[in-house]
Amino acid sequence: ETHGVSFRIQISVKEVLDTDVLLKLLFHLPVNYPSTLPDISVNSGQLTRAQCMDVKDKLLEQAKKHLSEPMVHNLILWVQQHLKDVIKQSATVCSEKPTLSKGTEDGIWMLLLHLDHMRAKAKYVKTVEKWASNLRLTGRLMFMGKIILILLQGDRSSIKEYLILQKTSKVDVDSSGKKCKEKMMSVLCETEVQSQHKRFQTFEIKEYTTLEELRKEFETAGLTTLFLEFVPPLFK
């Protein structure tokens, strides 16, 4: 009643590139659906991130044609019938317009990281704050129980530079107290900021006592789909 409904659907699309493509579609239907478009996330181990984004954009285009009527079933049928065409178009755009990739490279991107632990927490937090400030990145360093997440927004080049720093600098200490590099970090998501996402104005360190509090932080930033896809599985 207050958050809407979220669900994941897996479908196999046949005869694309002579093989079956497994698509994972995550739908978030807001409270006033179908008068409001759903949030859609597309993932596939057989497609590139760019192709998944193209499929998502095409699905949202189709969704606009079905506004005010239930549409999920129609969208699934559409993607089963047209995936091959979308992938072909995606490849054509990439080869014909190299300037597009440059534009994407320079756009505003978003990064979601999961850290396994922080032994020297105070020093680690100061280091992350300093990097974010120097690279003009905004977002959140989030603690909830044993879960540690870093959500960043900024220029793609700055995001890449941050990742290099995170992987190559001695940011923590090992069990014997010696300085060590971050070896237990995982990149949950790296993607271009979309129109429905709200930009963070600052970089803040925040602690949450419940998963619901953490979810609201993502929801406020228009990132409910991102949260549902990557955060709850960390608690299993």
Side-chain angles (χ1 to χ4, degrees):
E1 291 181 7
T2 54
H3 305 307
V5 179
S6 297
F7 54 90
R8 187 193 300 271
I9 294 176
Q10 281 198 172
I11 58 169
S12 182
V13 184
K14 295 193 178 296
E15 295 179 2
V16 178
L17 309 176
D18 300 322
T19 184
D20 287 2
V21 172
L22 187 67
L23 280 184
K24 297 174 185 176
L25 307 172
L26 185 73
F27 291 91
H28 172 67
L29 311 184
V31 178
N32 41 3
Y33 169 86
S35 302
T36 303
L37 292 178
D39 281 329
I40 304 171
S41 172
V42 179
N43 277 289
S44 173
Q46 291 134 293
L47 301 181
T48 65
R49 195 178 295 278
Q51 287 172 326
C52 287
M53 291 296 292
D54 285 341
V55 173
K56 173 187 168 179
D57 291 343
K58 294 293 183 185
L59 279 172
L60 286 172
E61 281 178 25
Q62 291 302 311
K64 288 173 186 173
K65 298 177 183 178
H66 296 282
L67 205 56
S68 299
E69 61 185 69
M71 65 185 77
V72 173
H73 182 63
N74 285 329
L75 294 179
I76 291 166
L77 289 177
W78 186 89
V79 79
Q80 286 177 318
Q81 293 165 4
H82 296 91
L83 182 62
K84 196 170 185 176
D85 298 329
V86 175
I87 292 172
K88 274 185 181 174
Q89 276 186 337
S90 180
T92 306
V93 167
C94 288
S95 59
E96 285 183 359
K97 299 183 180 177
T99 50
L100 266 186
S101 60
K102 186 178 186 304
T104 303
E105 189 77 13
D106 296 338
I108 301 302
W109 278 65
M110 180 165 56
L111 179 69
L112 180 62
L113 302 175
H114 173 234
L115 303 182
D116 186 72
H117 61 271
M118 286 182 179
R119 283 199 176 94
K121 184 176 175 180
K123 176 181 174 292
Y124 205 135
V125 168
K126 278 188 178 178
T127 302
V128 170
E129 276 188 297
K130 180 184 169 188
W131 288 342
S133 173
N134 290 347
L135 294 169
R136 296 183 180 177
L137 297 171
T138 60
R140 299 285 185 267
L141 170 53
M142 302 177 276
F143 296 93
M144 208 236 104
K146 292 182 178 179
I147 300 294
I148 306 167
L149 298 170
I150 301 176
L151 180 61
L152 297 169
Q153 291 178 343
D155 292 341
R156 180 95 194 268
S157 56
S158 297
I159 292 279
K160 284 185 172 180
E161 198 171 330
Y162 179 93
L163 263 178
I164 293 168
L165 286 169
Q166 183 80 56
K167 289 174 181 175
T168 59
S169 305
K170 291 185 177 179
V171 287
D172 206 0
V173 295
D174 60 20
S175 54
S176 62
K178 290 181 181 176
K179 290 181 180 180
C180 66
K181 295 176 184 177
E182 178 57 75
K183 295 177 182 176
M184 302 287 284
M185 176 194 78
S186 53
V187 178
L188 299 180
C189 180
E190 186 181 354
T191 185
E192 193 166 12
V193 170
Q194 303 298 306
S195 56
Q196 70 268 28
H197 302 151
K198 294 183 176 66
R199 291 289 307 278
F200 290 109
Q201 299 304 308
T202 57
F203 182 79
E204 297 176 28
I205 291 89
K206 300 186 95 172
E207 301 218 8
Y208 309 85
T209 53
T210 66
L211 189 59
E212 179 64 13
E213 278 182 24
L214 188 58
R215 188 193 62 74
K216 282 181 179 174
E217 181 75 71
F218 279 79
E219 185 180 292
T220 302
L223 299 171
T224 302
T225 306
L226 184 79
F227 172 84
L228 291 168
E229 187 167 353
F230 295 106
V231 181
L234 299 174
F235 290 84
K236 291 176 182 174

